[in-house]
C-alpha cells in the first residue's frame, strides 16, 4: 500500500477537525473494509485517523422508546444487545448473518453502512470502473456480473450494496446521526444511501470529514415480529444473493402493518415500498405475497449473469412473508 | 507394546503448529533479509514495448528493480516432468523475464527488492509498463475450432489417446445409450499458506532456499538447472508447509527468481506470493468439458465406453489433468476409447490439483452411470455391481487388491441405502434426495529408488530421516510410527526429521504416493537397522542372545528378546554400552516395483450423499455424506480419517461452489481472492461418516499402503450431483451447481 501516516483521535471534535482539514485523510474504524482497499490501492489516503477510541460504542435507550446504536459499536456486540434482540430481532439477525465472527468482532456499525461495493472490477485497479475512476466506464455491464444489482441500477454502475445491516435499518426508517465540520445533523436512512445515477462515485450525502456518530432506531412495535432471511452461495462468510428484512403485523387474516426491504439485489439497501403498498390491508396469503413481490420487481433490469436474481428476489420475498405469517413452514 | 501403525498418534508437529512455533518459509528469521515483490503482466497476450522503472527505483527503501533487461538470464529450463519422477519438475517449460513477450496475465514481468515488503509492493505500482497487445484466448468457447489431439499429455507420461476393442460398432449395437457432456469451471487450490521462497547465498556457489514445496529435492534439481549450478550448490529447506493441494507439487518460478534477485542484490531475499498471485503463479485445474458415451445392454451391462475431454492448456505445454485414466478401468467394458483434446490459450500451464483427473473424470462417469441406472430402471448401486470388474479391464491383470464391493456394502449399511425410496422425500420446502458414486484413484509408483536413514543412539533413541516435506498430511507423524514399529521402540523414543534436500532423497509427496514412498524407505531402513543390531547381539559372546537364530529374535520396547522366551534378551542400550558403541546407522533403499508389474493397481471407495434442495430457492444443502475407502494399510487412523474427510468436503466445494471466473475481455481472473473464490466453510459441512475397509496388498509396497490423500475427493461431487437429481429430477451437467441452475 501507499505510505500512509496514522494517528488516533480521542474526541469527536478532533477527529472531525483532522479529517475535514485534509482532503487526503480518512477515518479508520475496524478497518475490515478500509485496510483491504488500501492494500489493493483502491483507496489511497495519505493519512488515517483512527477513531476506535471515540466514546461511541454503546447501545442506548432513546427517550422516545427507540434505541441508539453507537457508530463505533462492534457488529458482534450490537447483535447480542438484549434490547435489540427483543425489540428488533431482524437487526440482530442481519448482523449475525453477515461476514464471519472474526470480522464482526472488529467491524463497526458505521463502517458497515459505509463499506464499499464487492464488485470485482471496483477492486481491480486495472479495470474500467466509474465508481473508482469517474468516467472510465463500467466493466460489469457486460462482464462478470452474477452478484450485481437488478434494482436501482444505472448505465454507469450496477454494483450491489453489500450491507446486510443496512437492509434491516431501511425497513425500520432508522436515522443516521452525524457530526461534521458544519455541526451535527440527522439523516433519514433512505436518504443516506444514494442511487448510482450519473455519479456512482458518490454513495452518501456525507461531507468530507463528517463522522457517523450513531444510528437511531425509532420505536416500532411491529419490529418485534420481524426477521432477516439471507440467500447465499455458502452458509457463512458470504454476501447475499438476495435477502429480505420483514416486519409484519396481521390481524384477522389481514396485514395491518408491514415493513419490507431487500438486500443483495439493489444498488442501495432497498425499501420495498411497492410491495408494502400491495400488502397493506391485504389478506395474508401466498397470493398477496406473490403479487407484492411481482410489483416490487417489476422495474428490475438484469445484465446477463444476474438475470436469475429477479426471480430469486421474488421468491425470497414470498418465502419471508410466508415464514412470518404461516409459522408451520420450517425455516 | 502395541504397534504404533494403525493407531491414532497425535501429530508430532501439532504442538508447534497450534502454538505458532512452526516455521514456514516466509518466516525464517535471517540477518540482512530484504523483500522481493513480483510485478505481473496485466494483459494476457502481447509484448512489453516499454517499461519505466525510474520512479520505482527512487522510492524509499528500494534496493533494486529487475526486469527482463537486467535480470540474469536462466541457464536452461528443464523439461516438464511430474515431480513424482524425483527429477527437476518445473510447473511449465516457460520461464518468465527472459524477453519482452507476454503469454498470460499474471506472468511476472518485474521484481522489486526493498527493505520492507510494503515498500517493495508500493514501488511495484510505480513501474510504468506499456504493451502492444495481441488477441488472447482464455476460454474454451473462444477457440473450439483450434482443438487438437496431443500425442502425449501430463509431462509426456500419458498418451493423448487410447482404445480397446471397437467402440463405434459396440455403441451402434448397444441397447441403451447414455451420451452426456459435462462442463467444469476452473478451480484454484487456495492452500492457507501462499507459496514463499527465501534465498540466501552463503557463497558464490552455495545457495540455501527455504521453500514451501511438496518436494525439497524437486526444488533443488529445478533451481540447479535454471541457475546452471550443480545440485551440490543448492540446499532446499522446508520446515513446515501450510497446505498445498497440488499448488506446491511442481516447482514454479518464485524460488529461482528469489535466488536470482538475492544473488544480484547480495542480500538474503524473501519472495512471498500474495493471495492474488496464487491465482496466476502455480497453476490451477483447467477449464474443461467431458463427453461420456456409454453403451449398455438392457440389463445395464456396459459394452462400450467413450470418453472425450476438451480442455485449455498453455502456449507451452500439452497439459491436461489425466481425467480418463480411472474411468477407463472403473467398470468392465470390452470396448473403450478415450481422447484428450487441447486448446492452446493464454494461461499459465495448468497443474495437479487434489485428485487431478479423477475429480473431474470420475464425476463425468459416475453422473453418466446414474443416468444409465435411471434409464434402465435399476438401483444405481446395483448397476455398479453388475459392472464390477474382477480384473483390470485394460490390461486384463488381476487387481493388486480391491475392496470395492466391500466398500459398497459398508457404505450402503452406514448410509441406509436400502431404505432409499425411488422417489424423493419432501420435508416442508426441502426436497430430499440421495446419490452415490464409486471412487477410484490410481496407485502411482515413484519411478526411482526411495531412501531413508535410520540412526540408533546408545541410549536407545532413534532419529530417522528422509527429504520429505510436511505440508499438513501428517507424514512426519506416520513416519515416526513406521520407524517405531520396525525398530521395536515406543514412538516417544523416535524422532523423524524431514524437510531438507540434504537428507536421503525421496520423491516429492504427490499423487497420494508420498507417504507410501517415504514410508517404504523408512520401513526398510529401520528394519535393516534392527536386523543389524540383532546380528551384533547374537554374534557377541557377552550377550544373553549369543548364538541365537536372528530370526527368532524380536524387539519389544527397545529390548531384543527371544520370541518364545521373552525373559532372555537385552536392550539395544545395554548392548551398545557394553560394546562402547555410540550409535548405529543404516541407509535403507526401497526400489518401487514397475508400474506395470502384472497387476492393476488402484485404490477404491464408495461415496454416498444426501442433499436437501430448497424447492423454491434452489439452495442445496448437503445433509449427510458417507465415504468408505479401501486405501490398503492405514498408518495413522486419525490423520487418515482427516485426509479422507477433508477430501470429501473438498468434493462438496467442487460440487457446489468452487469456480474461478475468467473475464475474456481482459484475460484475467475476476475473483482472485478468498472472499470471492468460495470454498466450503464449516457451516456448509454436513454430518460426514468415514470408514475404511482393510485390504491386504503385497504388490504395491512393503507395508501395503495405497494412499489416502485424494481418494476422498473422488466421487464426492458426483454423489452430490446425483442426489440433487434424485431430489429434483434435474440432471446437473455443469460444476459448480449454483442455485440459479435449480430455480
Ligand atoms: C470477507 C468479508 C465478508 C464480509 N461479509 C459481509 C456480509 O456478509 N454482510 C455485511 O453486511 N458485511 C460483510 N462484510 C463487510 C463488513 O461488515 C464491513 O467491512 C465492516 O462492517 C466495516 O466496518 P469497519 O469498522 O471495519 O469499517 P472500516 O473498514 O474501518 O471503514 C469502512 C469505511 O467507513 C468509513 N468510516 C468508518 N467509520 C466511520 C464513521 N464513524 N464515520 C464516518 N466514516 C466512517 C471509513 O473511513 C471507511 O471508508 C464482509 C467483509 C469482508 C472482508
Ligand atoms: S458496477 Fe459499479 S463498481 Fe462495478 S465496475 Fe461498474 S461502475 Fe464500477
Amino acid at each position: 500500500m501507499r505510505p500512509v501516516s496514522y494517528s488516533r483521535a480521542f474526541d469527536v471534535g478532533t477527529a472531525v477537525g483532522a479529517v475535514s482539514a485534509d482532503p487526503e485523510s480518512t477515518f479508520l474504524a475496524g478497518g475490515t473494509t478500509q485496510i483491504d482497499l488500501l492494500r489493493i490501492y483502491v483507496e489511497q489516503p495519505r493519512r488515517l485517523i483512527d477513531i476506535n477510541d471515540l466514546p461511541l460504542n454503546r447501545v442506548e435507550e432513546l427517550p422516545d422508546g427507540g434505541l441508539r446504536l453507537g457508530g463505533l459499536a462492534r457488529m458482534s456486540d450490537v447483535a447480542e444487545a438484549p434490547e435489540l434482540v427483543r425489540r428488533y430481532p431482524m437487526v440482530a439477525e442481519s448482523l449475525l448473518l453477515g461476514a464471519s465472527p472474526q470480522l464482526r468482532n472488529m467491524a463497526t456499525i458505521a463502517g458497515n453502512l459505509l463499506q464499499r461495493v464487492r464488485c470485482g472490477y471496483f477492486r481491480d485497479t486495472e479495470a474500467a470502473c466509474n465508481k473508482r475512476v469517474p468516467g472510465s466506464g463500467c466493466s460489469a455491464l457486460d462482464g462478470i456480473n452474477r452478484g450485481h444489482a437488478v434494482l436501482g441500477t444505472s448505465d454507469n454502475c450496477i454494483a450491489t450494496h453489500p450491507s446486510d445491516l443496512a437492509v434491516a435499518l431501511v425497513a425500520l426508517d432508522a436515522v443516521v446521526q452525524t457530526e461534521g465540520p458544519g455541526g451535527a445533523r440527522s439523516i433519514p436512512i433512505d436518504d443516506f444511501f444514494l442511487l448510482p445515477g450519473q455519479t456512482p462515485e458518490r454513495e452518501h450525502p456525507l461531507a468530507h470529514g463528517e463522522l457517523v456518530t450513531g444510528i437511531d432506531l425509532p420505536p416500532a412495535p411491529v419490529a418485534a415480529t420481524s426477521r432477516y432471511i439471507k440467500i447465499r452461495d455458502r452458509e457463512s462468510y458470504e454476501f447475499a444473493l438476495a435477502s429480505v428484512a420483514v416486519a409484519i403485523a396481521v390481524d384477522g387474516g389481514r396485514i395491518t402493518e408491514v415493513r419490507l426491504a431487500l438486500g443483495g439485489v439493489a444498488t442501495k439497501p432497498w425499501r420495498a415500498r411497492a410491495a408494502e403498498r400491495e400488502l397493506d390491508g391485504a389478506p395474508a396469503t401466498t397470493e398477496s405475497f406473490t403479487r407484492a413481490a411481482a410489483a416490487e420487481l417489476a422495474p428490475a433490469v438484469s445484465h446477463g449473469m444476474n438475470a436469475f436474481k429477479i426471480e430469486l428476489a421474488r421468491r425470497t420475498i414470498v418465502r419471508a412473508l410466508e415464514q412470518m405469517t404461516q409459522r408451520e413452514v420450517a425455516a | 507394546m502395541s504397534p504404533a501403525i494403525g493407531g491414532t498418534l497425535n501429530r508430532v508437529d501439532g504442538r508447534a503448529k497450534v502454538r505458532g512455533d512452526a516455521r514456514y518459509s516466509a518466516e525464517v528469521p535471517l540477518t540482512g533479509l530484504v523483500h522481493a515483490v513480483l510485478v505481473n503482466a496485466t494483459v494476457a497476450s502481447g509484448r512489453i514495448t516499454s517499461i519505466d522503472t525510474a520512479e520505482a527505483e527512487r522510492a524509499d527503501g528500494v534496493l533494486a528493480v529487475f526486469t527482463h533487461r537486467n535480470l540474469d538470464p536462466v541457464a536452461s529450463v528443464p523439461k516438464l516432468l511430474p515431480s513424482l519422477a524425483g527429477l527437476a519438475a518445473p510447473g511449465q517449460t516457460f520461464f518468465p523475464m527472459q524477453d519482452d513477450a507476454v503469454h498470460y496475465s499474471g506472468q511476472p514481468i518485474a521484481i522489486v527488492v526493498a527493505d520492507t515488503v510494503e515498500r517493495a509492493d508500493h514501488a511495484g505500482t510505480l513501474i510504468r509498463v506499456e504493451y502492444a497487445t495481441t488477441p488472447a484466448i482464455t476460454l474454451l468457447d473462444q477457440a473450439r475450432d483450434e482443438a487438437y489431439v496431443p500425442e502425449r499429455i501430463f509431462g509426456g507420461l500419458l498418451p493423448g489417446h487410447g482404445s480397446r476393442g471397437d467402440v463405434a460398432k459396440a455403441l451402434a449395437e448397444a441397447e441403451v445409450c447414455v451420451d452426456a457432456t459435462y462442463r467444469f469451471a476452473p478451480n484454484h487450490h487456495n492452500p492457507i499458506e501462499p507459496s514463499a521462497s527465501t534465498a540466501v547465498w552463503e557463497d558464490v556457489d552455495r545457495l540455501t532456499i527455504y521453500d514451501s514445496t511438496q518436494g525439497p529435492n524437486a526444488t533443488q534439481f529445478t533451481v540447479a538447472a535454471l541457475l546452471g549450478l550443480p545440485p551440490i550448490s543448492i540446499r532446499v529447506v522446508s520446515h513446515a508447509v501450510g497446505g498445498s493441494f497440488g499448488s506446491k507439487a511442481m516447482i514454479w518460478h518464485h524460488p529461482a527468481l528469489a535466488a536470482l534477485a538475492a544473488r544480484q542484490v547480495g542480500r538474503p531475499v524473501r519472495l512471498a506470493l500474495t493471495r492474488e498471485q496464487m491465482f496466476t503463479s502455480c497453476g490451477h485445474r483447467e477449464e474443461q468439458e467431458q463427453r461420456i458415451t456409454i453403451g449398455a445392454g438392457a440389463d445395464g451391462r456396459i459394452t462400450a465406453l467413450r470418453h472425450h475431454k476438451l480442455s485449455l492448456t498453455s502456449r507451452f505445454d500439452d497439459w491436461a489433468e489425466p481425467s480418463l485414466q480411472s474411468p477407463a478401468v472403473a467398470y468392465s467394458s470390452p470396448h473403450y476409447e478415450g481422447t484428450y483434446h487441447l486448446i492452446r490459450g493464454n494461461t499459465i500451464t495448468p497443474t495437479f490439483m487434489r485428485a487431478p483427473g479423477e475429480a473431474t473424470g470420475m464425476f463425468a462417469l459416475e453422473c453418466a452411470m446414474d443416468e444409465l441406472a435411471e434409464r434402465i430402471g435399476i438401483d444405481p448401486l446395483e448397476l455398479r455391481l453388475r459392472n464390477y470388474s474382477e480384473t483390470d479391464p485394460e490390461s486384463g491383470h488381476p487387481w493388486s487388491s480391491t475392496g470395492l464391493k466391500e466398500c459398497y456394502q459398508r457404505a450402503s449399511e452406514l448410509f441406509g441405502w436400502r431404505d432409499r425410496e425411488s422417489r424423493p422425500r419432501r420435508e416442508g420446502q426441502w426436497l430430499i434426495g440421495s446419490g452415490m458414486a464409486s471412487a477410484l484413484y490410481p496407485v502411482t509408483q515413484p519411478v526411482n529408488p526411495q531412501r531413508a536413514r535410520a540412526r540408533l543412539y546408545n541410549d536407545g533413541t532413534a532419529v530417522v530421516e528422509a527429504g520429505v516435506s510436511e505440508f499438513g498430511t501428517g507424514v512426519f507423524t506416520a513416519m515416526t510410527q513406521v520407524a517405531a514399529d520396525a525398530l521395536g521402540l515406543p514412538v516417544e523414543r523416535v524422532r523423524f526429521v524431514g524437510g531438507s534436500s540434504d537428507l536421503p532423497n525421496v520423491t516429492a509427496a504427490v499423487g497420494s504416493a508420498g507417504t507410501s514412498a517415504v514410508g517404504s524407505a523408512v520401513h526398510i531402513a529401520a528394519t535393516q537397522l534392527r536386523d543389524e543390531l540383532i546380528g551384533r547381539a547374537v554374534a557377541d559372546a557377552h550377550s544373553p542372545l549369543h548364538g541365537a537364530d536372528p530370526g527368532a529374535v524380536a524387539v519389544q520396547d527397545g529390548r531384543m528378546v527371544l520370541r518364545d522366551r521373552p525373559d532372555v534378551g537385552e536392550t539395544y542400550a545395554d548392548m551398545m554400552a557394553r560394546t562402547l558403541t555410540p550409535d548405529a546407522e543404516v541407509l535403507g533403499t526401497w526400489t518401487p516395483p514397475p508400474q506395470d508389474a502384472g497387476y492393476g493397481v488402484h485404490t477404491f471407495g464408495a461415496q454416498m450423499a444426501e442433499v436437501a434442495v430448497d424447492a423454491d430457492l434452489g439452495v442445496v444443502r448437503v445433509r449427510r455424506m458417507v465415504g468408505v475407502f479401501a486405501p490398503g494399510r492405514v498408518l495413522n487412523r486419525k490423520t487418515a480419517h482427516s485426509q479422507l474427510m477433508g477430501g470429501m468436503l473438498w468434493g462438496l466445494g467442487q460440487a457446489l461452489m468452487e469456480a474461478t471466473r475468467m473475464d475474456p475481455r481482459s484475460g484475467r481472473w475476476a475473483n482472485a481472492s478468498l472472499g470471492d473464490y468460495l470454498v466450503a466453510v464449516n457451516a456448509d459441512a454436513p454430518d460426514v461418516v468415514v470408514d475404511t475397509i482393510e485390504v491386504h496388498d503385497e504388490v504395491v509396497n512393503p507395508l501395503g499402503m495405497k494412499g489416502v490423500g485424494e481418494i476422498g475427493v473422488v466421487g464426492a461431487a458426483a454423489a452430490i450431483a446425483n442426489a440433487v437429481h434424485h431430489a429434483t429430477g434435474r440432471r446437473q451437467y455443469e460444476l459448480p451447481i449454483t442455485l440459479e441452475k435449480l430455480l
Side-chain angles (χ1 to χ4, degrees), chain B residues 488 530 534 545 550-556 559-563 570:
Chain B
R530 179 201 61 197
I534 292 172
L545 295 170
V553 179
V555 188
Q556 290 165 3
R559 189 159 178 272
M560 301 173 279
V561 295
L562 288 178
R563 228 182 279 278
E570 64 173 333

Side-chain angles (χ1 to χ4, degrees), chain A residues 288-318:
Chain A
S288 311
F289 305 156
T290 309
R291 200 167 45 241
E296 194 59 50
L297 274 297
V301 180
S302 65
H303 285 85
M305 294 173 79
N306 67 353
F308 75 98
K309 279 195 170 184
I310 299 177
E311 185 58 26
L312 181 68
R314 283 195 204 108
R315 295 186 189 186
T316 310
I317 293 173
V318 173

Side-chain angles (χ1 to χ4, degrees), chain B residues 46-108:
Chain B
R47 237 165 28 77
I48 298 168
T49 51
S50 88
I51 182 160
D52 177 0
T53 57
E55 199 184 340
E57 280 161 31
R58 281 196 306 270
D60 286 344
V62 171
L63 279 81
V65 179
F66 299 107
T67 67
H68 64 277
R69 293 188 310 232
N70 61 340
L71 184 75
D72 290 345
V74 296
S76 68
V77 183
K79 180 169 138 45
L80 195 170
L81 198 60
S83 48
L84 189 65
L87 300 163
Q92 60 181 356
T93 51
F94 165 76
F95 197 87
M97 296 182 64
Q98 305 301 296
D99 60 24
D100 61 7
V102 175
H103 300 290
Y104 58 93
S105 173
Q107 176 186 321

Side-chain angles (χ1 to χ4, degrees), chain A residues 41 121 146 234 319 330, chain B residues 121 429 614 663 665 679 740:
Chain A
Y41 302 89
Y121 303 107
R146 179 171 177 270
R234 67 178 167 193
R319 169 64 57 79
Chain B
D121 189 72
Q429 78 216 37
D614 189 311
D663 186 330
R665 299 167 305 173
V679 299
E740 64 267 42

Side-chain angles (χ1 to χ4, degrees), chain A residues 117-123 127-133 136-141 148 155-160 196 200 203:
Chain A
V117 298
R118 307 304 297 191
C119 171
Y121 303 107
F122 172 72
R123 281 160 194 264
C129 168
N130 288 325
K131 196 183 269 301
R132 187 168 28 74
V133 182
S136 62
C138 171
S139 301
L141 288 174
H148 285 67
D155 290 346
N156 294 294
C157 181
I158 59 169
T160 304
E203 296 171 345

Side-chain angles (χ1 to χ4, degrees), chain B residues 56-341:
Chain B
E57 280 161 31
R58 281 196 306 270
D60 286 344
V62 171
L63 279 81
V65 179
F66 299 107
T67 67
H68 64 277
R69 293 188 310 232
N70 61 340
L71 184 75
D72 290 345
V74 296
S76 68
V77 183
K79 180 169 138 45
L80 195 170
L81 198 60
S83 48
L84 189 65
L87 300 163
Q92 60 181 356
T93 51
F94 165 76
F95 197 87
M97 296 182 64
Q98 305 301 296
D99 60 24
D100 61 7
V102 175
H103 300 290
Y104 58 93
S105 173
Q107 176 186 321
I109 55 167
I111 306 171
V112 183
V113 184
D115 56 353
T116 70
V117 69
E118 290 80 8
R119 283 170 145 180
D121 189 72
H122 175 243
T125 65
L126 303 176
I127 297 176
R128 305 270 164 267
V129 190
E130 276 164 43
Y131 303 95
T133 57
T134 44
I137 291 164
T138 51
L139 289 175
L140 290 179
D141 282 341
Q142 289 174 305
R144 286 178 179 272
D145 52 342
E146 290 175 24
Y148 64 97
V149 176
E151 200 173 313
R152 303 190 75 76
I153 58 151
F154 207 56
L157 287 193
L158 295 170
H161 170 84
S163 66
R164 55 178 189 260
D166 183 346
V167 88
K169 182 157 172 286
L171 281 175
E173 289 168 1
E175 289 171 302
V176 189
C177 207
V178 170
D179 185 359
T181 301
Y182 302 88
R183 297 194 67 151
F184 301 86
N187 289 160
H188 277 79
H189 316 81
N190 282 308
I192 201 65
E193 180 209 19
S195 299
S197 304
T198 302
V200 194
W201 290 88
E202 278 106 23
D203 206 337
V204 286
D205 61 351
R206 274 193 47 209
L207 167 67
T208 296
I209 302 179
Y210 300 91
D211 192 32
S212 46
T213 176
Q214 284 180 244
N217 294 294
T219 302
Q220 179 194 24
F221 285 126
T222 308
V223 175
L226 287 165
L227 267 53
L229 289 171
I232 54 166
S233 292
I234 299 176
R235 181 170 70 111
V236 176
V237 179
S238 203
H239 292 305
V241 181
S244 168
F245 309 120
S247 63
K248 299 160 184 167
M250 301 293 277
I251 311 309
W252 298 93
H253 315 306
H254 47 277
L257 288 175
L260 289 168
R263 188 165 66 188
Q264 284 180 260
V265 298
R267 299 272 288 268
V269 164
R270 170 173 303 157
L271 199 176
L273 300 182
T274 63
R275 177 60 60 187
E276 189 183 355
Q277 286 171 338
M278 286 298 285
F279 284 79
T280 52
S281 309
C282 34
H284 53 272
R285 176 171 280 145
E286 66 273 19
E287 184 201 358
Q288 56 191 281
E289 188 176 289
Q290 295 183 26
R291 182 172 175 192
I292 290 252
T293 318
I294 305 179
D299 60 355
R301 269 179 234 286
I302 299 171
T303 50
L305 173 65
R306 189 161 62 199
H307 193 174
H308 282 219
K309 162 166 166 164
L310 171 66
S311 61
L312 203 64
T313 187
S314 67
R315 306 283 290 269
F316 338 105
D317 300 304
D318 286 342
W319 179 277
E321 57 167 7
S323 305
L324 312 190
Q325 220 181 347
S326 288
V329 300
Y331 302 108
S332 78
S333 167
H335 303 281
Y336 170 83
E337 190 257 315
T339 306
Y340 293 91
H341 304 259

